Structure formats: structure tokens, C-alpha cells
Amino acid sequence: MSDPTPSSAQTISYPASDARASRGALERADPHVVVLFGATGDLARRKLLPGLAHLAASELAPAIRVVGTSLEEMSDEEFREFARTAVEEFGSHRLTPEQWDAFDDHLVYVPQSAGPGPLAAAVASAEEHLGPNALRLHYLSVPPKAAIAVIKMLREADLVDRSRVVMEKPFGTDLASAIALNDQVHETFDERQVFRIDHFLGKEAAQNILAFRFANGLFEPIWNRNFIDHIQIDIPETLGLDQRANFYEATGAYKDMVVTHLFQVMAFVAMEPPTALEPRAISEEKNKVFRSLLPIEPQHVVRGQFAGYTALDGVPRDSDTETFIALKCGLDNWRWAGVPFYLRTGKKMAEGARIISIAFKEAPRSMFPAHSGVGNAGPDHLTFDLADESKVSLSFYGKRPGPGMRLEKLSMQFSTQETERAGDVLEAYERLILDAMRGDHTLFTTAEGIESLWERSAPLLENPPEVKSYPPGTWGPNAIHQLIAPHAWRLPFERVWREK
């Protein structure tokens, strides 16, 4: 494993709020200068700038000033207009003119070509306005291959002290590259300063898994191999790749989605109860899940590629990169031994969804008369929808009204939109940025965790099965049904969510 201690001789001081965050406190964080690398990119336009604008206008975040930097040559005024357009087009919360004017005044831009000196000067100027307690949050919204160059610039600009750094996925492409990347990052930043972001874990429904499991006596006693038959984590996407094909060609669905997203969600589902709901305890339980993950064997994997992928710009005509992947994996520990986990994700599929489905073992049917309907609709399921409108559903058999013993599948459902606090839901990136400001690692991945996942991915990466073509707008190659047999994929659903 990588040594999380910086090898450089410099002394790094840490914000006092790290200690508070470790106790799960929710008090207001210290003022922050957010240095946004890749400030004119697609992620910044769609998520980060609208999210920062909403946080700045809310009472949740501290005082914020944003220093944007990217490859484009822009003035402060041009960057502010870029940000205003992004907030108007993609923001989920409408800002008043007064709120926008206040945020607009706190935006400056430094072209990356200007070098570390002007960047340091812009940060120093922002800190003067925020006061002596101001901290720094460096958000690296850049391709992975550019991350080390950005960290080098931060070191040369003397912006490492009193700072934290948020890094986007994928974090490496295999075990060797992940270890090398961690080692390079740790030359400048201590592990406590590094936040490897996974926006799936910032969603309300993902955190609701912890609440459901550990706050309710109904679920935790049955959350094991004795009562659960199998688990599905299914994240199909209808979107294609547009201008991302060149980037995607070097990663594929497994590296882009499974290691960085689906396995992280799986850890929330499978982890043991932590000693406390605090970052260190939760991270350790997640890492135990990753250490217990059995190697990903090629015979338990279906790789697919949507028809037409090789015609995209930047994609070789003989590309073997998967745009779809489904796999069966298992955990070698007491709680989950013998329980299969089925994971699926892909581009240009029939529907876009983010579903976790817990299938319980079926009850004996001997007491029910023939043709009663019991068992016809499969096992009972507890389903979490990770969409922005968090939903949970529990399906079960119940008697159909009328004479005789006829059973049918019923469900109880919950949605955050049905509560009085629906307006309090934060978008995933907003929550994670706020957590990083507080120094809260609960929803972020550690160096040990990511290296464990790459280590267990080695059999698949070294000997990937051949990709199978699938038509856009479908659920993937037909081989997925043999992979999950004798079970069946929950998507498409046999029923729809109840709307308020």
C-alpha cells in the first residue's frame, strides 16, 4: 500500500475543523477560497459552478471566494458571464439577483498559462477579504493525466498549507498506476488532505442506506446471508459519449464506473456497523469490504459495446473498449459468504436509472394452494432509487381482496418529495464540496480502498472477455441473462414508482 505520509520536508498544518469533522459535527466551516481547476470544463459548467453558487447563497456554507483557472484565456468578466450562464442553464436552485450579484463579486479567473505566481496572488487577494482563518479547497476538475501537473503547480505556488484537494475519478487504471499516483500525490499532500470524490455517495438515497440499516431494528438483523438471496446494483445510462469518446476509449465502463462508483455503493450496502458515524470508522468498514472482495474473474463478466461506437471520433475501428459491463462478484466474509452481487452499467441503454435491489430469500410455499400466485412475481425486494429524488420501496406478497387465497405483489414506498424537508435536499456535488470544506472523509475513498479494488480487478484487466455488440436503446448483450440465472434483472421494473 502507498505510504500516506508526505515525503517532502515541508511542514503541513491542518485546519482545526478536521478534529470537529471526525466527530461528525455539523457546525459552519471556516471561510474558504475554492481554487477550481478546469473551471471552463463540462463538469464545472454543469455541476460545480451552479453548486458553488447555491452553497454561497445558502446558510449552510461558509463565506466562499472562487478562483477559477483553466487552459482558456479569459478575463474576470468573461469568466463571470460563463458562470452566470452555467448557473442559469444547469442550476437546480434559482438565485435572486441580489444573491447572484454577491456570488459574482467573489469570482476571479487566472489562465493556467499565467503560471503559479499569478495564481498564488489571486488566492492571497481572496484570503485578505475572508480573514485570517481562511482555508483553501483545490478542486481538480481535470483529466487524471493532468492531476500531477496541477499538484506540482500548487506546490510551486506555495498553496499546500491550510488546504485540501478534491480529485476526480478514475484514480488510476490498475493497481500499479494507482499506487504510483497515490505516491506522487503523497509527496505533496498528506492523506488527510486528499478527497477522492464519488458523486454517487453524495446522493441522499445512498446515505439513506446507512439510516435504513443501522437505525432500524427491522432490517439489521436480517441483513446477511441467512435472509438475503442476492443483491443487484444497476446503473444503466441512456446517454452516449458525445465528445468524451477519446477519454472513454482509455477507460471503458469498468474503470470509469464500476471501480469508482458501483463498488463504492456496494460498500455502503455490505459494510459492518461502524463504531460510530464518523469518517474514520466508516472508511475502515468500507475498506474491510474491499479487502474481502473476491477477485473479479473473467468468466463472471459480460462486456458489451453499443453498435456504432467505433464510428465515433477518436475511437479506433477495431476498438475492444466496453461501453457496457455486467458482472457477478462476491465477498469472502461471514456476513456475505455465498451471496452473489450483480453489478451492471452501460451507455445508450433502454432507460437511465440508479437502482440498488436487495432480494430476500423466498418463504416455503407448501401451505399455499396451487395457482395461489405465491412465487409468481419472484422474491421480496427492498429497492433504493439513487436518483436525485430519493426513493425506497419494499415489495411483498399480500392477499388479493375477494374469495379464495389469491396473492399478488404489493409495495410500500417512500420518497423525499413526500416530506416537508424536500427543499433541503442538496445536489450530490454540493454536499460533497461542503463535506470537504469540513474535512469530513465519510463519503470519500481512501488510498487503501482504491488500491484494494484495483488489486482484486487484476484477473479481469489481464484477461478481459471479448466485447459483445448490443443495439443502442436495449438492456445490453443477451449474455447478461445467463450471467444472472436462475435470477432475473430487476430492470426493467415490473411496476412503476408511485408519484405524489
Side-chain angles (χ1 to χ4, degrees):
M1 297 295 176
S2 297
D3 182 359
T5 305
S7 59
S8 59
Q10 71 181 53
T11 299
I12 300 175
S13 63
Y14 298 94
S17 58
D18 275 348
R20 296 197 301 269
S22 69
R23 297 193 298 268
L26 294 177
E27 65 262 26
R28 196 177 183 87
D30 292 316
H32 268 77
V33 178
V34 179
V35 184
L36 181 55
F37 290 86
T40 60
D42 191 60
L43 178 61
R45 185 170 64 96
R46 291 176 176 271
K47 296 293 184 180
L48 303 181
L49 288 169
L52 287 167
H54 175 233
L55 286 176
S58 73
E59 297 181 357
L60 297 171
I64 298 173
R65 285 182 174 257
V66 178
V67 177
T69 180
S70 194
L71 298 177
E72 284 75 14
E73 298 291 328
M74 275 189 181
S75 64
D76 288 349
E77 290 71 22
E78 289 171 327
F79 179 59
R80 289 166 182 165
E81 180 60 25
F82 175 86
R84 184 186 67 79
T85 302
V87 171
E88 290 179 352
E89 185 174 357
F90 298 106
S92 57
H93 305 271
R94 293 299 162 196
L95 271 61
T96 66
E98 293 76 17
Q99 289 172 327
W100 170 252
D101 288 343
F103 182 65
D104 177 88
D105 292 341
H106 298 164
L107 292 175
V108 297
Y109 185 82
V110 179
Q112 212 157 320
S113 59
L119 180 64
V123 173
S125 176
E127 289 176 338
E128 288 180 5
H129 290 89
L130 293 175
N133 295 326
L135 304 177
R136 303 156 180 165
L137 183 69
H138 307 304
Y139 198 116
L140 275 57
S141 179
V142 299
K145 59 184 179 181
I148 296 303
V150 170
I151 289 176
K152 179 182 178 183
M153 174 180 279
L154 290 172
R155 186 170 60 239
E156 293 174 349
D158 196 22
L159 294 176
V160 176
D161 198 34
R162 294 181 292 108
S163 71
R164 302 183 180 103
V165 57
V166 179
M167 302 189 69
E168 277 287 341
K169 55 106 175 171
F171 203 87
T173 57
D174 55 20
L175 178 60
S177 62
I179 291 175
L181 182 55
N182 280 325
D183 287 344
Q184 289 176 293
V185 171
H186 291 151
E187 289 176 2
T188 302
F189 291 97
D190 186 276
E191 178 66 14
R192 285 178 292 174
Q193 294 176 282
V194 182
F195 292 76
R196 299 168 190 82
I197 195 167
D198 171 18
H199 69 274
F200 275 62
L201 296 188
K203 294 182 178 296
E204 198 76 31
Q207 297 166 71
N208 221 353
I209 298 170
L210 298 183
F212 259 75
R213 286 193 57 191
F214 303 131
N216 296 295
L218 174 63
F219 294 109
E220 181 53 27
I222 61 173
W223 209 265
N224 57 58
R225 57 185 167 82
N226 296 322
F227 297 93
I228 292 177
D229 186 76
H230 67 278
I231 293 172
Q232 295 181 33
I233 301 175
D234 207 352
I235 304 181
E237 299 179 280
T238 57
L239 298 176
L241 293 167
D242 299 326
Q243 305 303 314
R244 295 181 65 236
N246 189 36
F247 158 78
Y248 199 82
E249 177 63 17
T251 57
Y254 185 79
K255 296 176 182 179
D256 184 51
M257 288 290 293
V258 177
V259 175
T260 53
H261 292 322
L262 276 70
F263 280 152
Q264 307 301 324
V265 173
M266 184 185 73
F268 265 31
V269 174
M271 64 187 280
E272 293 295 321
T275 55
L277 285 178
E278 56 94 8
R280 183 176 299 178
I282 291 177
S283 292
E284 175 55 26
E285 296 305 332
K286 287 171 57 184
N287 287 343
K288 288 180 182 177
V289 174
F290 300 146
R291 291 196 293 269
S292 69
L293 179 65
L294 292 168
I296 308 301
E297 300 294 346
Q299 65 266 31
H300 295 151
V301 177
V302 175
R303 297 170 68 236
Q305 186 184 93
F306 66 76
Y309 171 74
T310 55
L312 298 177
D313 290 340
V315 177
R317 297 300 174 257
D318 60 349
S319 171
D320 188 50
T321 298
E322 79 277 358
T323 62
F324 167 97
I325 192 162
L327 61 94
K328 173 185 176 182
C329 60
L331 300 176
D332 187 16
N333 60 31
W334 184 92
R335 183 181 292 266
W336 297 111
V339 177
F341 287 72
Y342 298 99
L343 282 54
R344 177 173 66 169
T345 185
K347 301 291 185 183
K348 288 200 171 184
M349 297 183 67
E351 295 178 17
R354 297 162 183 174
I355 297 294
I356 303 170
S357 185
I358 316 294
F360 295 99
K361 290 187 175 180
E362 296 190 61
R365 306 173 191 172
S366 57
M367 64 174 285
F368 294 96
H371 311 298
S372 66
V374 65
N376 289 354
D380 301 336
H381 285 87
L382 177 64
T383 304
F384 296 88
D385 187 342
L386 300 187
D388 291 333
E389 296 182 1
S390 170
K391 298 175 183 177
V392 182
S393 171
L394 178 63
S395 68
F396 53 92
Y397 283 101
K399 182 182 179 300
R400 180 186 299 173
M405 181 57 74
R406 292 288 299 171
L407 287 86
E408 60 184 355
K409 260 301 169 63
L410 309 173
S411 69
M412 293 186 293
Q413 298 184 13
F414 160 80
S415 171
T416 55
Q417 298 304 303
E418 298 174 358
T419 72
E420 296 179 355
R421 307 301 296 270
D424 294 345
V425 175
L426 287 176
E427 201 276 338
Y429 280 99
E430 296 170 358
R431 178 187 303 277
L432 293 171
I433 289 171
L434 196 56
D435 283 352
M437 288 179 179
R438 293 191 177 112
D440 187 339
H441 277 90
T442 302
L443 303 178
F444 296 85
T445 307
T446 66
E448 178 189 346
I450 199 68
E451 289 175 13
S452 292
L453 291 175
W454 284 124
E455 182 178 9
R456 282 139 187 85
S457 301
L460 173 62
L461 299 180
E462 293 168 1
N463 186 29
E466 183 180 355
V467 294
K468 302 176 184 295
S469 180
Y470 65 96
T474 65
W475 290 103
N478 288 331
I480 61 171
H481 303 298
Q482 287 75 49
L483 175 71
I484 201 172
H487 313 298
W489 294 99
R490 294 292 317 287
L491 290 175
F493 268 158
E494 73 279 0
R495 49 102 185 108
V496 297
W497 291 101
R498 182 185 68 240
E499 300 297 335
K500 184 177 179 180

